[in-house]
Amino acid sequence: MQSFKTPLLISLACLLLLVISPVHAEKPHAPLDKHQWSYDTDPYGSEAIINEKLIRHGGIWIKFKRVPRVDAKRNSWIELIHKLPTATLAGSQKIRLTYQCEIPLLIKLSQKEYGKHGDKSYAHYQIKLPATKQWTTKEVDLKDFYRPEWTPASSKDLGLLPEHVDAIYLTPSMTDKDGGEAILQVRAIELLP
C-alpha cells in the first residue's frame, strides 16, 4: 500500500501546481467589426473564397486565387480591405497586425492621390511582412512604408499623407506574371499613436 501512496501524492502535488500556477493567456483582441471589412478581386478571373461569411469565430479566413496579368493595360488584383473607422490614419504612427499568411503579405495604404480619385496608378505606399503559418503579431511604423518599384514615372510622389488614407489593403504578395493562390487569416488590427 505504501508503494502506491508516494506516486499518488506526487501526482496530486503536480496536479495542484498546474491548477494554481498562473496561466499566460494570449492578449485579448478587440473584435473585428464586420462593417469595416470587405474584399475585392479583378473582373478577369481572380477569386476570393470564404467560409459562409468573412468574419467567423472572431477572425477572417480567406483564400485568394489571382490570375496572371491579362495584358499591358489590364492587371489582376486581390485584396482584403479594412475601412478605417475614422476614414483616416491621421494621428497614427504604427499599425499592429495579427495574421497568418502562407506567403509574404503586403500592407498597402489606400491614399486618395494614387487611387481612382487621384492619378489612378494604384502605386500606394506599402510594406511587406513575412510569410507565417503560425499566428504572428507584427508592428510596422508608417515611416517604413515605401512606394512599389513598379510605380510609373507619371505618378508624382506626394509622400505618405496619413490624413488622406481611408483604408488598409492586405494582399498576399503574388507576381503579376504568375498570379497564384494563398490563404490569409486575420485576427486583429490596431492603429497606434
Side-chain angles (χ1 to χ4, degrees):
M1 190 67 169
Q2 186 69 18
S3 62
F4 290 111
K5 207 179 210 183
T6 304
L8 182 61
L9 288 173
I10 291 171
S11 296
L12 285 172
C14 290
L15 181 61
L16 186 60
L17 282 174
L18 284 174
V19 171
I20 62 171
S21 294
V23 176
H24 296 288
E26 191 175 295
K27 179 185 173 227
H29 301 289
L32 300 176
D33 182 343
K34 67 180 181 180
H35 301 291
Q36 295 172 350
W37 290 92
S38 62
Y39 57 90
D40 197 14
T41 61
D42 60 71
Y44 312 121
S46 295
E47 296 178 65
I49 301 162
I50 60 171
N51 285 333
E52 295 175 27
K53 54 187 178 178
L54 187 58
I55 299 174
R56 288 186 62 198
H57 308 298
I60 292 171
W61 182 98
I62 189 165
K63 180 175 185 176
F64 285 114
K65 294 181 180 181
R66 180 180 173 197
V67 298
R69 183 181 196 113
V70 179
D71 56 41
K73 292 187 177 183
R74 296 178 298 162
N75 199 4
S76 61
W77 75 83
I78 50 162
E79 53 203 22
L80 178 62
I81 304 165
H82 175 58
K83 256 178 31 182
L84 297 172
T86 59
T88 179
L89 270 181
S92 299
Q93 297 297 316
K94 296 180 181 183
I95 299 169
R96 182 183 297 142
L97 180 68
T98 301
Y99 74 102
Q100 285 186 46
C101 190
E102 45 197 19
I103 65 174
L105 178 67
L106 294 173
I107 299 178
K108 298 180 180 184
L109 305 178
S110 177
Q111 185 171 320
K112 69 180 182 180
E113 285 80 6
Y114 312 122
K116 67 181 175 184
H117 300 298
D119 67 13
K120 297 179 178 57
S121 70
Y122 300 97
H124 297 297
Y125 276 83
Q126 64 182 28
I127 196 165
K128 189 182 282 191
L129 300 182
T132 176
K133 293 184 179 182
Q134 311 288 330
W135 284 112
T136 302
T137 300
K138 292 286 183 188
E139 199 170 285
V140 290
D141 199 309
L142 295 186
K143 69 178 175 42
D144 295 329
F145 280 68
Y146 53 88
R147 293 197 74 199
E149 61 186 42
W150 54 261
T151 300
S154 61
S155 179
K156 185 178 178 189
D157 191 352
L158 302 172
L160 175 56
L161 304 172
E163 62 276 10
H164 293 182
V165 174
D166 66 353
I168 296 171
Y169 297 165
L170 303 176
T171 305
S173 182
M174 300 175 196
T175 65
D176 292 351
K177 180 181 176 230
D178 299 322
E181 294 185 16
I183 294 171
L184 169 60
Q185 298 180 76
V186 175
R187 186 178 283 165
I189 191 165
E190 297 172 81
L191 305 178
L192 306 172

